Amino acid sequence: MSIKWVLCWQPNAGTTINSQILIEVCKCVESINGVKEGGWKNTFCFYKPMLKEQANASEFPQRFLGASLQEQPDKFYMALSRKRLIVEAESSMQTIMENLQSYRIKFALNCEGFQYRLGDFRVRVGKVVPINSENLRGIVMEMEYLPISSWKTSHLIMSEFLEILKETLGKKSLPGHFVHAEQNFSEFGLSDQYTSRHTVVQYASILAQMSTTAQ
């Protein structure tokens, strides 16, 4: 599998995120010969246990993130960040949980936008919005390098590509910048070889920061 960095837009102090920033970021990617390949969407749901007896509270995770990724349409991922655990299941797991009434969705978010191809790279730029709403919560970017699947080996070329993007965005004088937070994947039992679980860890970290304002 290819390698992927997930970045989030950090607005400058005193400024807010708006859809015009998203439009300008897409224009920047196109300005460095990014070829639009179409749309993309990932869906994330924050689940909360439906406890019939409070005495059982300690037996269930208080909350976890469920992830449906476009790159793995037949899979469903559960991120239990406090336990440093990422579980991969069949996509039918969502239906099973609904039927068992063991967990309910507290709130859900879509990350959706456009994807571009730039040689060996693929860049996805999208907005973070609650399902059934256009209330913008954030902007994310996925940087994907297709030839390499090793996190460590790809670090230099990914860093260099990010600098090119930052330099291009800098010419627009936008009120903020993209941030990439390094993750310690070994804490989740993940190896150097990249998988969709690594993607979920990155999104879980970003969305946890947004969750307090997305309820």
Side-chain angles (χ1 to χ4, degrees), residues 53-128:
E53 297 180 19
Q54 196 62 33
N56 296 331
S58 61
E59 299 177 15
F60 294 87
Q62 285 301 299
R63 191 173 77 170
F64 71 86
L65 178 68
S68 299
L69 305 179
Q70 182 169 299
E71 67 191 44
Q72 296 283 6
D74 298 327
K75 300 294 182 182
F76 178 68
Y77 297 88
M78 291 168 280
L80 291 78
S81 296
R82 289 183 181 179
K83 294 182 179 294
R84 292 292 186 262
L85 182 64
I86 304 292
V87 178
E88 181 183 276
E90 299 300 316
S91 57
S92 58
M93 176 58 72
Q94 287 176 282
T95 305
I96 292 171
M97 287 195 302
E98 288 174 11
N99 292 340
L100 290 175
Q101 295 185 338
S102 54
Y103 283 87
R104 68 176 178 86
I105 296 175
K106 191 175 182 182
F107 62 94
L109 299 165
N110 282 332
C111 296
E112 55 186 336
F114 296 103
Q115 68 178 29
Y116 301 86
R117 184 70 181 265
L118 299 89
D120 287 334
F121 290 91
R122 181 174 282 126
V123 174
R124 298 176 182 87
V125 181
K127 58 186 178 181
V128 182

Side-chain angles (χ1 to χ4, degrees), residues 6-65:
V6 183
L7 306 94
C8 66
W9 182 260
Q10 180 69 51
N12 291 340
T15 65
T16 57
I17 296 174
N18 58 67
S19 57
Q20 187 59 37
I21 295 173
L22 185 65
I23 293 170
E24 293 297 333
V25 171
C26 288
K27 286 181 180 178
C28 283
V29 176
E30 292 172 1
S31 74
I32 53 175
N33 300 321
V35 179
K36 187 183 289 186
E37 293 186 318
W40 68 280
K41 181 170 75 172
N42 294 330
T43 300
F44 302 91
C45 300
F46 286 85
Y47 286 88
K48 191 175 182 180
M50 296 175 65
L51 301 173
K52 294 178 175 63
E53 297 180 19
Q54 196 62 33
N56 296 331
S58 61
E59 299 177 15
F60 294 87
Q62 285 301 299
R63 191 173 77 170
F64 71 86
L65 178 68

Side-chain angles (χ1 to χ4, degrees), residues 117-181:
R117 184 70 181 265
L118 299 89
D120 287 334
F121 290 91
R122 181 174 282 126
V123 174
R124 298 176 182 87
V125 181
K127 58 186 178 181
V128 182
V129 291
I131 290 179
N132 301 322
S133 170
E134 287 299 316
N135 189 3
L136 188 65
R137 299 296 187 187
I139 295 172
V140 294
M141 176 187 286
E142 290 188 5
M143 278 174 29
E144 184 177 10
Y145 186 57
L146 302 172
I148 294 178
S149 60
S150 165
W151 183 262
K152 291 180 181 178
T153 303
S154 65
H155 201 276
L156 179 59
I157 193 166
M158 292 291 275
S159 298
E160 291 175 345
F161 185 64
L162 177 57
E163 286 305 311
I164 292 172
L165 287 173
K166 283 184 174 180
E167 184 179 334
T168 307
L169 289 167
K171 296 174 183 177
K172 293 280 187 179
S173 299
L174 297 173
H177 59 281
F178 279 103
V179 175
H180 175 245

